[in-house]
Amino acid sequence: NTISLDAAISACEKCGEWESALRLFNAMALREVELSTITFNAAISACGVGGKWEKAGQLFDVMARNEVQADTITFNAGIGACEEGGDWERALQLFNLMDRTTVERSTITFNSAMSVCEKGGEWEQALQLLSEMALQNAE
């Protein structure tokens, strides 16, 4: 069932076994087992931990095509995957996409986005994110 397979994908993530996580994910899709937000979150996180940020981005696209609702954890996992891959531009695209959805940014979201900007030498972007975070927290 979905819950058991989600737990297995999450376990793969924690062990750095991104390939095994994706095999389980793909098996679920082939068997038409429901792919939930939790399923995608675990698979995206596994790709991020494995340094496979491009695969994490592909999962984001699959999620949208399947009309599965992303949540804050999804975006945090995606931004974190971009951080592992050093893709600050894709990370900011995900960050900004949150504005066009009903998904709220968390402190983790801001910290991850600032961190990927810092690693990419984009200190001005990081400072802008810090200002946005202060404004959001003031509201």
Side-chain angles (χ1 to χ4, degrees):
N1 73 25
T2 302
I3 295 170
S4 298
L5 290 166
D6 289 350
I9 292 172
S10 185
C12 291
E13 175 228 335
K14 287 173 182 32
C15 295
E17 293 291 329
W18 67 271
E19 290 170 311
S20 297
L22 285 184
R23 272 195 297 278
L24 285 169
F25 179 89
N26 290 330
M28 288 175 74
L30 287 173
R31 292 191 177 113
E32 298 183 3
V33 175
E34 179 188 0
L35 299 174
S36 68
T37 302
I38 295 169
T39 308
F40 279 96
N41 290 352
I44 291 168
S45 288
C47 289
V49 168
K52 301 300 177 186
W53 57 273
E54 291 167 324
K55 291 203 180 290
Q58 291 168 357
L59 288 170
F60 239 97
D61 297 337
V62 171
M63 188 176 195
R65 278 195 308 274
N66 285 300
E67 298 179 353
V68 176
Q69 183 68 41
D71 62 12
T72 303
I73 295 168
T74 313
F75 282 97
N76 290 349
I79 292 168
C82 292
E83 182 178 0
E84 290 296 320
D87 190 352
W88 66 269
E89 291 171 310
R90 174 72 170 159
L92 288 183
Q93 285 175 352
L94 292 174
F95 183 87
N96 291 327
L97 180 60
M98 294 177 84
D99 268 346
R100 296 187 301 272
T101 68
T102 59
V103 179
E104 292 204 22
R105 296 172 177 150
S106 68
T107 301
I108 293 169
T109 311
F110 279 98
N111 288 342
S112 293
M114 286 186 283
S115 180
V116 72
C117 288
E118 179 266 325
K119 287 179 180 175
E122 296 295 321
W123 61 270
E124 292 163 325
Q125 288 284 344
L127 287 176
Q128 182 175 342
L129 292 169
L130 182 62
S131 295
E132 281 185 51
M133 186 170 94
L135 283 173
Q136 178 178 306
N137 289 337
E139 293 173 358

